[in-house]
């Protein structure tokens, strides 16, 4: 394809210079920058960019209003948010991610720290731009048509049966692990908001987000979901009715102390360039839970999650994938499907119904050995203690 055109809208000249300097080193990228935030619509009209990098600081900033305007005026334009590594920056960025932004790039909160941010931008920017470029340029992948225009066709109704890759999903499941990257926060919100407070198995998710952002996301999800949603803590016990989110900048694994599962949080080396890593979480779940684990792959780019999905399938567990047609970024779901690792793929709404059907109903009705019909929130039941 032609060179990808990137428009950077940030009022801070140091940020503009740093980003432009890095992207100008890419042979297939053309960069335009502006600090005139109020002329953003004109810039987009004049430059016709493939992607916009937009500064958003908080709900009172110009960037907040500009983001909403651009989403209405240019709904198909990918927007990457630039926001500070702070709690207020995280809240603003997560608002944008929930409302259609494709990704976020963090910057230091203090102005003098921007002088030393080049290395951070150099590490984060090229993969994000490359991921967007693949989505823009892809027509087919091993026979999978990815027609963006047809994704919301009238045929995609709620009455359609879920799509099955190899076989239908069969429990019993004792743990659900979820992994997402670019576009993942919205999909995670869609799933967790539909699960009831008495959901009988724990949920652990790894979402590619930096420090502060996962804490803010957990707080937002807690408000939207009947589940108790929290940022993962060292040695936190896995309980039914609870969803844990791997903290930004740290890996989250599931380990065992005695006969009870706990979370282990650590700053190990990055995997696939990511920390937290989906692969790290999924592998640990596969080791301990075997066929009792259900892995869910959401929207995203790159390959983090592929090895983890392979580990779950190898140990007898199941993997379901967000339908590439409903994913904001279909790179990761398509890769897992193409490798033959997906038992099933569906939209997030269908996925929630499937979880309720395959996880809730068996626990409510089960009378077979090992699954007594007792209070789901009796934390000492064998069905929750034994891995």
């Amino acid at each position: 394809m032609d060179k990808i055109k990137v428009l950077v809208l940030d009022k801070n000249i140091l940020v503009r210079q740093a980003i432009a300097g890095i992207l100008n080193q890419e042979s297939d990228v053309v960069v335009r920058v502006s600090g005139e935030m109020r002329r953003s619509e004109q810039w987009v009209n004049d430059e016709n960019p493939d992607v916009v990098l937009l500064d958003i600081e908080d709900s009172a900033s110009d960037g907040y209003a500009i983001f909403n305007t651009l989403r209405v005026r240019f709904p198909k334009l990918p927007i990457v948010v630039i926001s500070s590594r702070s709690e207020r920056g995280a809240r603003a960025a997560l608002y944008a991610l929930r409302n259609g932004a494709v990704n976020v790039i963090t910057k230091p909160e203090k102005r003098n720290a921007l002088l030393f941010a080049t290395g951070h931008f150099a590490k984060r920017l090229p993969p994000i731009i490359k991921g967007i470029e693949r989505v823009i340029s892809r027509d087919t992948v091993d026979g999978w048509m990815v027609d963006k225009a047809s994704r919301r066709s009238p045929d995609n109704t709620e009455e359609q049966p879920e799509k099955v890759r190899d076989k239908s999903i069969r429990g019993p499941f004792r743990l659900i692990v979820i992994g997402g990257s670019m576009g993942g926060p919205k999909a995670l919100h869609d799933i967790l908001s539909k699960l009831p407070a008495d959901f009988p198995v724990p949920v652990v998710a790894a979402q590619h987000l930096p420090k502060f952002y996962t804490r803010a996301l957990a707080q937002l999800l807690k408000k939207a979901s009947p589940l108790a949603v929290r940022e993962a803590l060292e040695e936190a016990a896995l309980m039914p009715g609870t969803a844990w989110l791997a903290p930004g900048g740290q890996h989250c694994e599931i380990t065992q102390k005695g006969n009870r599962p706990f979370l282990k949080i650590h700053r190990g080396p990055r995997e696939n360039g990511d920390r937290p890593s989906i692969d790290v979480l999924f592998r640990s779940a596969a080791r301990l839970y075997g066929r009792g684990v259900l892995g869910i792959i959401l929207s995203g780019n790159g390959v983090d999650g592929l090895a983890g999905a392979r580990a779950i399938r190898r140990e007898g567990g199941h993997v379901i994938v967000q339908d590439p047609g409903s994913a904001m970024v279909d790179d990761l779901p398509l890769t897992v499907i193409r490798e033959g690792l997906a038992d099933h793929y569906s939209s997030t709404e269908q996925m929630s119904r499937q979880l309720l059907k395959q996880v809730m109903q068996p626990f409510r009705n089960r009378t077979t050995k090992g699954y007594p019909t007792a209070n789901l929130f009796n934390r000492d039941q064998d069905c929750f203690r034994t891995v």
Side-chain angles (χ1 to χ4, degrees):
M1 64 176 291
D2 295 333
K3 290 188 175 184
I4 186 169
K5 293 185 286 185
V6 180
L7 174 61
V8 182
L9 298 172
D10 195 299
K11 58 182 177 292
N12 192 304
I13 188 173
L14 294 177
V15 173
R16 299 198 303 270
Q17 288 177 340
I19 291 176
I22 291 162
L23 293 183
N24 279 328
Q25 298 176 30
E26 304 291 322
S27 60
D28 56 349
V29 175
V30 176
V31 185
R32 296 287 184 270
V33 301
S34 175
E36 300 176 85
M37 304 294 286
R38 296 184 183 278
R39 294 182 58 212
S40 58
E41 289 181 68
Q42 182 181 337
W43 274 101
V44 172
N45 274 317
D46 293 346
E47 297 295 333
N48 190 27
D50 295 303
V51 57
V52 169
L53 274 58
L54 176 66
D55 172 40
I56 296 182
E57 279 301 317
D58 53 47
S59 59
S61 68
D62 291 341
Y64 215 72
I66 292 168
F67 170 80
N68 289 323
T69 300
L70 293 181
R71 288 296 301 151
V72 172
R73 288 288 308 278
F74 310 96
K76 295 183 179 180
L77 176 65
I79 299 176
V80 176
V81 173
I82 308 170
S83 195
S84 64
R85 287 197 293 269
S86 64
E87 292 190 10
R88 67 190 181 99
R91 287 193 296 268
L94 287 170
Y95 168 86
L97 290 171
R98 214 167 57 245
N99 288 279
V102 298
N103 213 328
V104 59
I105 297 172
T106 60
K107 62 182 179 180
E109 187 175 20
K110 297 180 180 179
R111 184 179 178 86
N112 58 351
L114 289 170
L115 296 171
F116 307 99
T118 303
H120 168 71
F121 288 140
K123 181 171 58 179
R124 288 281 293 147
L125 275 168
I128 289 175
I129 299 301
K130 293 294 183 185
I132 293 172
E133 184 179 13
R134 286 195 299 272
V135 171
I136 293 170
S137 63
R138 179 185 286 119
D139 294 317
T140 62
V141 176
D142 290 355
W144 287 86
M145 295 304 297
V146 190
D147 182 357
K148 304 287 185 181
S150 68
R151 288 186 172 185
R152 294 179 176 83
S153 68
D155 293 332
N156 294 332
T157 64
E158 291 185 10
E159 284 66 37
Q160 276 193 307
E162 289 90 353
K163 305 174 182 65
V164 177
R165 177 66 176 89
D166 292 322
K167 53 189 175 181
S168 59
I169 303 302
R170 290 290 181 267
F173 299 115
R174 296 179 178 178
L175 173 71
I176 293 174
V177 288
I178 304 176
S181 182
M182 196 182 297
K186 184 179 185 305
L188 189 60
H189 175 276
D190 292 345
I191 293 172
L192 296 187
S193 63
K194 300 292 194 305
L195 300 183
D198 63 342
F199 194 68
V201 298
V203 178
V204 185
Q207 169 64 46
H208 294 163
L209 284 174
K211 185 179 178 181
F212 294 117
Y213 285 59
T214 48
R215 186 183 310 159
L217 178 59
Q219 291 170 353
L220 289 173
L221 293 173
K222 184 178 180 180
K223 294 178 182 177
S225 174
L227 297 176
V229 186
R230 304 167 185 168
E231 188 178 47
L233 301 172
E234 176 68 15
E235 294 195 353
L238 297 185
M239 298 292 185
T242 301
W244 295 100
L245 188 62
Q250 299 186 75
H251 292 307
C252 179
E253 293 189 80
I254 301 166
T255 186
Q256 193 170 353
K257 181 178 291 186
N259 62 346
R260 301 194 68 182
F262 284 81
L263 297 179
K264 178 181 178 182
I265 310 300
H266 64 93
R267 281 184 61 86
R270 293 178 180 271
E271 289 209 20
N272 308 301
D274 297 303
R275 189 174 56 218
S277 165
I278 302 169
D279 283 343
V280 169
L281 172 62
F282 277 30
R283 282 199 306 265
S284 68
R287 283 194 301 268
L288 286 182
Y289 283 78
R291 65 181 58 194
V293 63
L294 172 63
I296 299 177
I297 295 289
L298 301 179
S299 171
N301 60 325
V303 297
D304 187 40
L306 182 62
R310 188 175 292 114
I312 289 176
R313 286 293 299 271
R314 185 171 57 246
E315 297 297 329
H318 284 71
V319 175
I320 60 177
V321 175
Q322 184 176 359
D323 186 344
S326 70
M328 180 182 293
V329 180
D330 50 36
D331 197 35
L332 180 57
L334 278 172
T335 301
V336 175
I337 292 171
R338 184 179 58 201
E339 294 292 320
L341 299 173
D343 294 288
H344 191 99
Y345 69 97
S346 65
S347 68
T348 52
E349 185 167 349
Q350 292 169 329
M351 207 177 285
S352 298
R353 293 201 299 268
Q354 185 76 357
L355 292 177
L356 293 173
K357 177 182 177 181
Q358 298 294 343
V359 178
M360 288 293 294
Q361 206 59 40
F363 269 90
R364 285 172 173 165
N365 299 334
R366 198 175 317 278
T367 57
T368 56
K369 183 179 179 180
Y371 293 91
T373 53
N375 182 354
L376 291 175
F377 285 85
N378 176 358
R379 308 306 204 210
D380 294 325
Q381 285 188 89
D382 286 343
C383 58
F384 296 129
R385 286 194 293 112
T386 305
V387 177

